[in-house]
Amino acid sequence: MISMKDIDGVEDWLIGQALGSPDMAAMFAEMCERLRQCHVPIDRALLGWSTLHPLIEAETVCWENGADVQHEQIGHFQEESEDWLTSPIRSILMSGEPVMRRRLANSNAPFDFPLLASLSERGYSDYMVMVTAFELPTIREEVSTSGIVVTWATREENGFTDEALAAITYIQKRLALAARATLQSQISRTIAETYLGKIAGGKVLAGQIRHGDGETIDAVIFYSDMRNSTAIAEHLGPDAYLSWLNTYFQATAGAILDNGGEVLDFIGDAVLGVFPIGEQSLETAVEQAIAAADTTRKRLKSVNAEPASAQPLKAGIALSVGTVMFGNIGVPHRMTFSVIGQTVHAAARIESLTKTVGVDVLMTADVARRTGARARPVGDFALSGFAAPQPLFALE
């Protein structure tokens, strides 16, 4: 017999989860275990939700009694599988109905979805799909509604009783509240990290949101700018140039991220990246920046080797190291989180000198002395903020 007092205990636990930052998969799995302890005869359950993420369209968590929890992420533009096209979840989402139920134990039961026949063969007797809609930021062209969808299945001989259905219906609304709070928190972090970067986004979410909030840090600056961008833009036109620009960013900004750095800004067709010094040493930050420059070179070479390459894709890269101000700049109602200071200005000036010197990577002496035999001196140059000409080095 199911006690609603016990179900209220699961509800209280879900409220506690909603007030924290739980992992969705772990929360759903524990909820299912708690329901079984309350004598709700669930043997399999699947939770699905859409989200707002640059790479992920939706996620699912499948719990089955006695088995490992399965967590799946579905990417944007991922090819729709046959399982999805013939699934009861897709059918109910397309129809707009809130509930679908299928009895599986009856020998004459119509298995209108392949999954149902599979579940019946595995001993399941009853299957239900329930949709709980709520407002959540999503890509509307991909999903018509936001919220959660949950499937419930049992192996009980006579399927779900009215008592069990009442408990499931009651708890799903509470699950939806916990899921909504958790997903909104995840989406806020995703947006902050996508548009500001992981380090800057974390600082903003931690409370550094006021005008002028920031700190002084030591860092290696990576500054890259595309060559001949004006001529290429005129030749390609707006749409093709945007695609080409993103190819360039994948080669440069992608290289920064892949080697442990942070992309702070896209300035037209320039990329401003940073490798902070603090938790890691200066030597490590330099190694990461050099690795990012090497990765950029390889990626640009690969793009230019493709037969369909519209234009030669070239870039200048500057590496400098020093103390910078890392924080909010702008006006109180419209700010960005970036780095400012002499080191940043020097990097922009050094990048412009790559064309004068005829190399693709230039670096300051502080970077070069940690690069070994790969550093080749190219001369002394006047840099803004420095009283005397500064020696620069090419990266062989």
Side-chain angles (χ1 to χ4, degrees):
M1 182 176 176
I2 299 172
S3 166
M4 286 308 296
K5 182 178 180 180
D6 293 338
I7 298 299
D8 287 343
V10 179
E11 177 187 14
D12 288 343
W13 174 80
L14 280 172
I15 292 172
Q17 294 292 295
L19 295 175
S21 300
D23 175 81
M24 284 284 285
M27 180 179 72
F28 184 63
E30 185 170 347
M31 184 203 70
C32 292
E33 298 289 352
R34 286 173 177 263
L35 287 176
R36 282 188 59 84
Q37 292 171 10
C38 296
H39 307 292
V40 180
I42 55 170
D43 293 293
R44 182 183 185 273
L46 182 143
L47 169 66
W49 67 93
S50 57
T51 188
L52 189 64
H53 191 282
L55 301 175
I56 302 166
E57 177 183 342
E59 298 186 63
T60 64
V61 176
C62 185
W63 170 89
E64 195 161 8
N65 188 28
D68 293 335
V69 176
Q70 303 295 320
H71 182 196
E72 181 182 3
Q73 296 178 326
I74 299 141
H76 298 292
F77 313 115
Q78 187 171 321
E79 185 176 350
E80 294 184 331
S81 66
E82 185 66 21
D83 286 345
W84 169 247
L85 293 172
T86 59
S87 74
I89 294 179
R90 181 179 183 275
S91 177
I92 195 173
L93 292 176
M94 296 291 288
S95 70
E97 295 294 325
V99 179
M100 173 194 294
R101 185 181 182 188
R102 294 292 187 270
R103 301 275 192 171
L104 307 178
N106 190 330
S107 59
N108 296 320
F111 296 145
D112 45 352
F113 302 99
L115 173 65
L116 302 184
S118 173
L119 291 176
S120 178
E121 291 173 359
R122 294 170 54 198
Y124 287 93
S125 59
D126 207 346
Y127 176 87
M128 184 169 57
V129 187
M130 296 177 60
V131 177
T132 304
F134 52 75
E135 191 64 29
L136 195 71
T138 56
I139 300 177
R140 292 300 177 184
E141 63 188 40
E142 294 182 345
V143 294
S144 58
T145 185
S146 56
I148 61 170
V149 56
V150 187
T151 72
W152 307 91
T154 183
R155 287 190 168 103
E156 286 290 297
E157 183 177 356
N158 296 317
F160 290 119
T161 63
D162 291 344
E163 187 182 43
L165 292 175
I168 288 172
T169 302
Y170 181 85
I171 211 66
Q172 178 156 331
K173 286 187 178 180
R174 281 68 186 172
L175 170 63
L177 290 173
R180 181 179 184 179
T182 301
L183 294 175
Q184 284 180 325
S185 175
Q186 290 178 359
I187 288 172
S188 296
R189 179 165 293 278
T190 295
I191 292 173
E193 292 182 356
T194 299
Y195 286 91
L196 297 176
K198 198 163 189 177
I199 298 174
K203 289 182 179 296
V204 169
L205 291 173
Q208 289 191 25
I209 198 170
R210 295 170 303 182
H211 190 226
D213 277 354
E215 60 185 310
T216 299
I217 66 169
D218 292 326
V220 176
I221 298 298
F222 181 112
Y223 188 92
S224 173
D225 198 11
M226 184 193 291
R227 299 275 176 82
N228 304 317
S229 57
T230 302
I232 292 174
E234 184 177 356
H235 174 76
L236 294 179
D239 292 341
Y241 178 66
L242 180 61
S243 176
W244 195 236
L245 191 61
N246 282 329
T247 299
Y248 158 74
F249 287 144
Q250 184 58 46
T252 52
I256 295 170
L257 295 174
D258 290 345
N259 288 283
E262 178 97 339
V263 176
L264 290 182
D265 211 351
F266 296 98
I267 310 164
D269 51 25
V271 176
L272 175 60
V274 61
F275 295 85
I277 302 165
E279 294 184 1
Q280 64 181 7
S281 65
L282 170 60
E283 287 70 20
T284 299
V286 169
E287 287 176 5
Q288 291 176 331
I290 295 298
D294 287 337
T295 302
T296 297
R297 284 170 158 174
K298 291 176 183 177
R299 291 181 179 179
L300 293 178
K301 183 177 180 179
S302 177
V303 169
N304 291 328
E306 296 177 3
S309 180
Q311 294 281 336
L313 189 55
K314 298 180 180 179
I317 299 171
L319 302 177
S320 63
V321 60
T323 301
V324 295
M325 179 64 184
F326 187 46
N328 289 316
I329 58 173
V331 296
H333 296 292
R334 179 61 178 92
M335 295 181 290
T336 188
F337 208 100
S338 191
V339 291
I340 55 175
Q342 181 183 13
T343 304
V344 181
H345 297 309
R349 169 60 176 151
I350 293 167
E351 187 284 321
S352 69
L353 289 170
T354 59
K355 290 174 277 190
T356 303
V357 178
V359 297
D360 61 344
V361 180
L362 280 178
M363 49 194 173
T364 60
D366 287 334
V367 177
R369 70 171 55 101
R370 293 168 175 82
T371 311
R374 296 187 63 190
R376 174 174 61 85
V378 295
D380 295 350
F381 298 85
L383 300 178
S384 176
F386 292 90
Q390 298 296 305
L392 295 180
F393 300 78
L395 179 66
E396 296 291 354

